[in-house]
Coordinates of all heavy atoms in Angstrom, one line a residue:
G255 N 3.4 4.8 -3.7 CA 2.9 4.6 -2.4 C 1.6 3.9 -2.3 O 1.2 3.2 -1.4
D256 N 0.7 4.1 -3.4 CA -0.6 3.5 -3.4 C -0.7 2.2 -4.1 O -1.8 1.7 -4.4 CB -1.6 4.5 -4.0 CG -1.8 5.8 -3.1 OD1 -1.6 5.7 -1.9 OD2 -2.0 6.9 -3.7
S257 N 0.5 1.7 -4.6 CA 0.5 0.4 -5.3 C 0.3 -0.7 -4.3 O 0.3 -0.5 -3.1 CB 1.8 0.3 -6.0 OG 2.9 0.1 -5.0
W258 N 0.0 -1.9 -4.8 CA -0.2 -3.0 -3.9 C 1.1 -3.4 -3.2 O 1.1 -3.9 -2.1 CB -0.9 -4.2 -4.6 CG 0.0 -5.1 -5.5 CD1 0.9 -4.7 -6.4 CD2 0.0 -6.5 -5.4 NE1 1.5 -5.8 -7.0 CE2 1.0 -6.9 -6.4 CE3 -0.6 -7.5 -4.7 CZ2 1.2 -8.2 -6.7 CZ3 -0.4 -8.8 -5.0 CH2 0.6 -9.2 -5.9
I259 N 2.3 -3.1 -3.8 CA 3.5 -3.3 -3.1 C 3.6 -2.4 -1.9 O 4.0 -2.8 -0.8 CB 4.7 -3.1 -4.0 CG1 4.7 -4.1 -5.2 CG2 6.1 -3.1 -3.3 CD1 4.9 -5.5 -4.7
G260 N 3.3 -1.1 -2.2 CA 3.3 -0.1 -1.1 C 2.3 -0.5 0.0 O 2.6 -0.3 1.2
Q261 N 1.2 -1.1 -0.3 CA 0.2 -1.5 0.7 C 0.7 -2.7 1.5 O 0.5 -2.7 2.7 CB -1.1 -2.0 0.0 CG -2.3 -2.2 0.9 CD -2.8 -1.0 1.6 OE1 -3.0 0.0 1.0 NE2 -2.8 -1.1 3.0
F262 N 1.4 -3.7 0.9 CA 2.0 -4.8 1.6 C 3.0 -4.3 2.7 O 3.0 -4.7 3.8 CB 2.7 -5.7 0.7 CG 1.8 -6.8 0.1 CD1 1.7 -6.9 -1.3 CD2 1.0 -7.6 0.9 CE1 0.9 -7.9 -1.9 CE2 0.2 -8.6 0.3 CZ 0.1 -8.7 -1.1
I263 N 3.9 -3.3 2.2 CA 4.9 -2.8 3.1 C 4.3 -2.1 4.3 O 4.7 -2.2 5.4 CB 5.9 -1.9 2.3 CG1 6.6 -2.7 1.3 CG2 6.8 -1.2 3.3 CD1 7.5 -1.9 0.3
K264 N 3.2 -1.3 4.0 CA 2.5 -0.5 5.0 C 1.9 -1.5 6.0 O 2.0 -1.3 7.2 CB 1.5 0.4 4.4 CG 0.6 1.2 5.4 CD -0.4 2.0 4.6 CE -1.3 2.7 5.6 NZ -2.3 3.5 4.9
D265 N 1.1 -2.5 5.5 CA 0.4 -3.4 6.3 C 1.3 -4.3 7.2 O 1.0 -4.7 8.3 CB -0.5 -4.4 5.5 CG -1.7 -3.6 4.9 OD1 -2.0 -2.5 5.4 OD2 -2.3 -4.2 4.0
A266 N 2.6 -4.5 6.7 CA 3.6 -5.3 7.5 C 4.4 -4.4 8.4 O 5.3 -4.8 9.0 CB 4.5 -6.0 6.5
Q267 N 4.0 -3.1 8.5 CA 4.6 -2.2 9.4 C 6.1 -1.9 9.0 O 7.0 -2.0 9.8 CB 4.6 -2.6 10.9 CG 3.1 -2.6 11.5 CD 2.5 -1.2 11.5 OE1 3.1 -0.2 11.9 NE2 1.3 -1.0 10.9
G268 N 6.3 -1.7 7.7 CA 7.6 -1.2 7.2 C 7.4 0.2 6.8 O 6.4 0.7 6.5
D269 N 8.5 0.9 6.9 CA 8.6 2.4 6.5 C 9.1 2.5 5.1 O 10.3 2.5 4.8 CB 9.5 3.1 7.5 CG 9.6 4.6 7.1 OD1 8.8 5.1 6.3 OD2 10.5 5.3 7.7
Y270 N 8.1 2.5 4.1 CA 8.5 2.6 2.7 C 9.0 4.0 2.4 O 8.2 4.9 2.5 CB 7.3 2.2 1.9 CG 7.6 2.1 0.4 CD1 8.8 1.5 -0.1 CD2 6.7 2.6 -0.5 CE1 9.1 1.4 -1.4 CE2 6.9 2.5 -1.9 CZ 8.1 1.9 -2.3 OH 8.4 1.8 -3.7
L271 N 10.2 4.1 1.9 CA 10.8 5.4 1.7 C 10.2 6.2 0.5 O 10.4 7.4 0.5 CB 12.3 5.2 1.5 CG 13.1 4.7 2.7 CD1 14.5 4.5 2.3 CD2 13.0 5.6 3.9
W272 N 9.4 5.5 -0.3 CA 8.8 6.2 -1.5 C 7.3 6.2 -1.3 O 6.5 6.2 -2.3 CB 9.2 5.5 -2.8 CG 10.6 5.9 -3.2 CD1 10.9 7.0 -4.0 CD2 11.8 5.4 -2.8 NE1 12.2 7.1 -4.2 CE2 12.8 6.1 -3.4 CE3 12.2 4.3 -1.9 CZ2 14.2 5.8 -3.2 CZ3 13.5 4.0 -1.7 CH2 14.5 4.8 -2.4
N273 N 6.8 6.2 -0.1 CA 5.4 6.2 0.2 C 4.7 7.5 -0.3 O 3.5 7.5 -0.5 CB 5.1 6.0 1.7 CG 3.7 5.7 2.0 OD1 3.1 4.8 1.5 ND2 3.1 6.4 2.9
N274 N 5.5 8.5 -0.4 CA 5.0 9.8 -0.8 C 4.8 9.9 -2.3 O 4.3 10.9 -2.8 CB 5.9 11.0 -0.3 CG 7.3 10.9 -0.9 OD1 7.7 9.9 -1.4 ND2 8.0 12.0 -0.9
L275 N 5.2 8.9 -3.1 CA 4.9 8.9 -4.5 C 3.5 8.6 -4.7 O 3.0 7.4 -4.5 CB 5.8 7.8 -5.2 CG 7.2 8.2 -5.6 CD1 7.9 7.0 -6.3 CD2 7.2 9.4 -6.6
K276 N 2.7 9.6 -5.0 CA 1.2 9.4 -5.1 C 0.8 8.6 -6.4 O 1.5 8.6 -7.4 CB 0.5 10.7 -5.2 CG 0.7 11.6 -3.9 CD 0.3 10.8 -2.7 CE 0.5 11.6 -1.4 NZ 0.2 10.8 -0.2
G277 N -0.2 7.8 -6.2 CA -0.8 7.0 -7.3 C -0.4 5.6 -7.2 O 0.3 5.1 -6.2
S278 N -0.8 4.8 -8.2 CA -0.5 3.4 -8.2 C 0.6 3.1 -9.3 O 1.0 4.0 -9.9 CB -1.7 2.5 -8.5 OG -2.4 3.0 -9.7
G279 N 0.9 1.9 -9.5 CA 1.9 1.6 -10.5 C 3.3 1.9 -10.1 O 3.6 1.8 -8.9
S280 N 4.1 2.3 -11.0 CA 5.5 2.6 -10.6 C 6.0 3.9 -11.3 O 5.4 4.4 -12.2 CB 6.5 1.5 -11.1 OG 6.4 1.3 -12.5
E281 N 7.1 4.4 -10.8 CA 7.7 5.7 -11.3 C 9.1 5.4 -11.7 O 9.9 4.9 -10.9 CB 7.7 6.7 -10.1 CG 8.2 8.1 -10.5 CD 7.2 9.0 -11.1 OE1 6.0 8.7 -11.2 OE2 7.6 10.1 -11.6
P282 N 9.5 5.8 -13.0 CA 10.8 5.6 -13.4 C 11.8 6.7 -12.8 O 11.5 7.8 -12.9 CB 10.8 5.8 -14.9 CG 9.5 6.6 -15.1 CD 8.6 6.3 -14.0
L283 N 12.8 6.2 -12.1 CA 13.8 7.1 -11.4 C 15.2 6.8 -11.9 O 15.4 5.7 -12.5 CB 13.7 6.9 -9.9 CG 12.3 7.1 -9.2 CD1 12.4 6.8 -7.7 CD2 11.8 8.6 -9.4
T284 N 16.1 7.7 -11.7 CA 17.5 7.5 -12.0 C 18.1 6.8 -10.8 O 17.6 6.9 -9.7 CB 18.2 8.8 -12.3 OG1 18.2 9.6 -11.1 CG2 17.5 9.6 -13.4
F285 N 19.3 6.2 -11.1 CA 20.0 5.6 -9.9 C 20.3 6.7 -8.9 O 20.2 6.4 -7.7 CB 21.3 5.0 -10.4 CG 22.1 4.4 -9.3 CD1 21.9 3.1 -8.9 CD2 23.1 5.1 -8.7 CE1 22.6 2.6 -7.8 CE2 23.8 4.6 -7.6 CZ 23.6 3.3 -7.2
E286 N 20.7 7.9 -9.3 CA 21.1 8.9 -8.3 C 19.9 9.3 -7.4 O 20.1 9.5 -6.2 CB 21.5 10.2 -9.1 CG 22.9 10.0 -9.8 CD 22.9 9.2 -11.0 OE1 21.7 9.0 -11.6 OE2 23.9 8.6 -11.5
Q287 N 18.7 9.3 -8.0 CA 17.5 9.6 -7.2 C 17.2 8.6 -6.2 O 16.9 8.9 -5.0 CB 16.3 9.8 -8.1 CG 16.3 11.1 -9.0 CD 15.1 11.1 -9.9 OE1 14.9 10.1 -10.7 NE2 14.3 12.1 -9.9
V288 N 17.4 7.3 -6.6 CA 17.2 6.2 -5.6 C 18.2 6.2 -4.6 O 17.9 6.0 -3.4 CB 17.1 4.9 -6.4 CG1 17.0 3.7 -5.4 CG2 16.0 4.8 -7.4
F289 N 19.5 6.4 -5.0 CA 20.6 6.3 -4.0 C 20.5 7.4 -2.9 O 20.7 7.1 -1.8 CB 21.9 6.4 -4.7 CG 23.1 6.2 -3.8 CD1 23.4 5.0 -3.2 CD2 23.9 7.3 -3.5 CE1 24.5 4.8 -2.4 CE2 25.0 7.1 -2.6 CZ 25.3 5.9 -2.1
E290 N 20.1 8.6 -3.4 CA 20.0 9.7 -2.4 C 19.1 9.4 -1.3 O 19.4 9.7 -0.1 CB 19.5 10.9 -3.2 CG 19.4 12.2 -2.3 CD 18.9 13.4 -3.1 OE1 18.6 13.3 -4.3 OE2 18.7 14.4 -2.4
K291 N 18.0 8.7 -1.6 CA 17.0 8.4 -0.5 C 17.2 7.0 0.1 O 16.9 6.8 1.3 CB 15.6 8.5 -1.1 CG 14.5 8.3 -0.1 CD 13.1 8.6 -0.7 CE 12.8 10.0 -0.8 NZ 11.4 10.3 -1.2
G292 N 17.6 6.1 -0.7 CA 17.6 4.7 -0.3 C 19.0 4.1 0.2 O 19.0 3.0 0.6
Q293 N 20.0 4.9 0.2 CA 21.3 4.4 0.6 C 21.4 3.9 2.0 O 22.2 2.9 2.3 CB 22.4 5.5 0.4 CG 22.2 6.8 1.2 CD 23.2 7.8 0.9 OE1 24.4 7.5 1.0 NE2 22.8 9.0 0.6
S294 N 20.6 4.4 2.9 CA 20.6 3.9 4.3 C 19.4 3.0 4.6 O 19.2 2.7 5.8 CB 20.6 5.1 5.2 OG 21.8 5.9 5.0
A295 N 18.6 2.6 3.6 CA 17.5 1.7 3.9 C 17.9 0.4 4.6 O 19.0 -0.2 4.3 CB 16.8 1.4 2.6
S296 N 17.1 0.0 5.5 CA 17.4 -1.3 6.3 C 17.2 -2.5 5.5 O 17.9 -3.5 5.6 CB 16.6 -1.3 7.6 OG 16.8 -0.2 8.4
I297 N 16.1 -2.5 4.7 CA 15.7 -3.7 3.9 C 15.5 -3.3 2.5 O 15.0 -2.2 2.1 CB 14.3 -4.2 4.4 CG1 14.3 -4.5 5.9 CG2 13.9 -5.4 3.6 CD1 15.1 -5.7 6.3
W298 N 15.9 -4.2 1.6 CA 15.8 -4.0 0.1 C 15.0 -5.1 -0.5 O 15.4 -6.3 -0.4 CB 17.2 -3.9 -0.5 CG 17.3 -3.6 -2.0 CD1 16.2 -3.5 -2.8 CD2 18.5 -3.4 -2.7 NE1 16.7 -3.3 -4.1 CE2 18.1 -3.2 -4.1 CE3 19.8 -3.4 -2.4 CZ2 19.0 -3.0 -5.1 CZ3 20.7 -3.2 -3.4 CH2 20.3 -2.9 -4.7
I299 N 13.8 -4.8 -1.0 CA 13.0 -5.8 -1.7 C 13.3 -5.6 -3.2 O 12.9 -4.6 -3.8 CB 11.5 -5.6 -1.5 CG1 11.2 -5.6 0.0 CG2 10.7 -6.7 -2.2 CD1 11.5 -6.9 0.7
A300 N 14.2 -6.5 -3.7 CA 14.6 -6.4 -5.1 C 13.7 -7.1 -6.1 O 12.9 -7.9 -5.7 CB 16.0 -7.0 -5.3
T301 N 13.7 -6.6 -7.3 CA 13.0 -7.3 -8.4 C 13.9 -8.2 -9.2 O 15.1 -8.0 -9.2 CB 12.3 -6.3 -9.3 OG1 13.2 -5.3 -9.8 CG2 11.1 -5.6 -8.6

Side-chain angles (χ1 to χ4, degrees):
D256 296 327
S257 66
W258 77 311
I259 296 297
Q261 188 66 52
F262 275 125
I263 295 173
K264 177 182 177 182
D265 289 345
Q267 293 299 309
D269 179 11
Y270 184 42
L271 296 176
W272 281 267
N273 193 53
N274 63 339
L275 275 180
K276 298 302 178 185
S278 57
S280 60
E281 179 86 7
L283 303 174
T284 64
F285 177 87
E286 289 75 20
Q287 288 174 306
V288 174
F289 184 71
E290 181 181 1
K291 183 176 285 191
Q293 58 183 309
S294 298
S296 303
I297 305 285
W298 182 353
I299 305 298
T301 51

